[in-house]
Amino acid sequence: MPFFLLASVAVPLAVEGADPLRQVGWQLAAFGCALPLAALAALLFPLLRPLEVTAVRSLCGVPAERLAEGPALSWAARRRTALWFVAHLLAGGIVSGMTLAAPPAAVLLLLLPFSEPLRHTALGWPDAFSGVLGPLAGLALLALVAGTSWAAGALLGRIAPALLGPTPADRLAAAERRAGDLASRNRLARELHDAVGHALSAVTLQASAARRVLDADPEFARRALAAIEETTRGAVAELDTVLGLLREEDGADPAAPAPSLDGLDALLARTRAAGLAVEATVEGRSAGPASVVSREAYRIVQEGLSNALRHAGPVSVRLQLRCEERELTILMENPVTGPTDSSPPAADPAGGGRPFGDRPFGDRPFGDRPFGGRGLRGIAERARLLGGEATAGAQDGVWRLTARLPSAGATDYGATGDGVTADGTGRGVGAG
């Protein structure tokens, strides 16, 4: 209506004698002039598309997945929206005109045979409508209005997905948004799995050992409970870090820095306290604590140790980190099957050599687990996102996990403390 009123004012100014307010022909001319104005508005106002999409979903029954979301940002999307807007207004103008004019005429035709005053009124209709033909013509006129309205709605519903549907640029943007959301969810899933999963595996073994010797060796049980307390305290800190990642997605800093290879000694100590004998070797120069490579390497080592705890039990694990100028290599090896009655006992939480006792998880060979669990899939994703690679599998009775990551080579990593030492050559060797 605003475009029609504007054209109704402009047409008499351009054409002398034109009267769109009283003459039907000039009304149609003004309506035709209003359509290009509507198209221009659609080109200039991107927010018109979401308004039209809402109308189409409500009035034409077009599924939402076939229509675009958001404003029309590209010129291709604006042109398509302009075409739709013109088609919408054209169909709406035709239906509106018929709805205003046809129903009153149909009512007069229906009443014409039964009203003597109407037959003598100068309506300009042929005398044939004074008989049975009048009501039939009135019904036909009403049917024409209803049919035209239905046809206009069906036509608009058919062309709406083509003109208001997503453009290739819209599909690309939506795919990028979905990929970004999926990457964020996968990142949080990896962090939560690696951080909490490792702690729960260690606590399970420690609690199992404490339960078995609670009456026979209360001192050992107290040490196991102390180890559980320390492990869960570290798990809470790890959980705060993961929650910090959630806040980081909203533009806030994480609550705590993510663990890196600087915390490898503490990780190994907690793992040994859970009953896993770890022999760790660190060679060369490693990325600094702020490096993404250092953080991802820490998570890979953590998940590898967690897998050994969960699926192999208290066994001996050999860990080797070798950082060269361009590559950081992580190698972890442990027996495929867990300990048996003749296997060497695992150390107690305090490091006193007390055996844990029976194998807590039964006979579940680690090698029977295919490469594809959540943790191992997370390791592969971490390596791939950094441009590296990770493989895992059993061979000759040994489960072997290997990860190669591009190395920043920023700072020395001289791990000192429990089981890991550094000499003047930068080579660290330790045994648990």
Side-chain angles (χ1 to χ4, degrees), residues 102-367:
V107 171
L108 290 176
L109 289 172
L110 290 172
L111 298 177
L112 190 61
F114 310 102
S115 176
E116 187 69 23
L118 287 178
R119 288 198 296 268
H120 293 85
T121 303
L123 297 177
W125 290 342
D127 293 337
F129 287 109
S130 300
V132 181
L133 187 59
L136 294 178
L139 294 176
L141 193 57
L142 291 177
L144 178 62
V145 174
T148 303
S149 301
W150 175 85
L155 178 62
L156 292 176
R158 183 176 294 273
I159 66 175
L163 297 180
L164 293 180
T167 63
D170 293 329
R171 293 190 181 93
L172 179 60
E176 290 176 348
R177 288 194 298 270
R178 287 194 296 268
D181 293 341
L182 181 61
S184 298
R185 290 197 297 268
N186 287 342
R187 178 191 181 194
L188 295 175
R190 288 194 303 268
E191 294 293 331
L192 188 61
H193 178 277
D194 295 350
V196 180
H198 176 81
L200 292 179
S201 299
V203 166
T204 300
L205 286 174
Q206 291 161 346
S208 176
R211 177 178 59 82
R212 283 175 167 79
V213 301
L214 181 61
D215 296 329
D217 192 348
E219 180 61 28
F220 171 81
R222 281 193 292 271
R223 291 196 298 269
L225 291 175
I228 291 174
E229 179 183 2
E230 181 182 356
T231 302
T232 52
R233 187 179 293 112
V236 170
E238 294 272 6
L239 186 59
D240 286 342
T241 300
V242 176
L243 296 178
L245 291 176
L246 283 171
R247 287 187 287 271
E248 188 179 20
E249 297 297 331
D250 296 331
D253 293 333
S260 64
L261 287 179
D262 278 358
L264 182 61
D265 289 343
L267 174 64
L268 296 179
R270 291 193 300 268
T271 305
R272 290 169 182 142
L276 203 66
V278 183
E279 177 185 349
T281 303
V282 180
E283 301 177 0
R285 300 166 62 87
S286 173
S291 169
V292 175
V293 175
S294 180
R295 294 196 296 267
E296 297 302 303
Y298 177 92
R299 291 300 192 194
I300 291 175
V301 172
Q302 185 182 49
E303 176 57 24
L305 296 175
S306 299
N307 278 336
L309 282 172
R310 283 194 295 264
H311 305 293
V315 298
S316 298
V317 176
R318 186 171 71 91
L319 168 64
Q320 182 180 7
L321 273 74
R322 184 174 66 253
C323 188
E324 300 172 346
E325 183 178 357
R326 296 182 178 274
E327 185 177 77
L328 172 64
T329 304
I330 302 171
L331 174 64
M332 297 185 66
E333 295 178 337
N334 63 268
V336 169
T337 58
T340 60
D341 293 339
S342 60
S343 301
D348 71 0
R354 174 74 185 218
F356 271 134
D358 296 336
R359 185 180 176 192
F361 295 115
D363 295 329
R364 292 188 301 171
F366 188 32

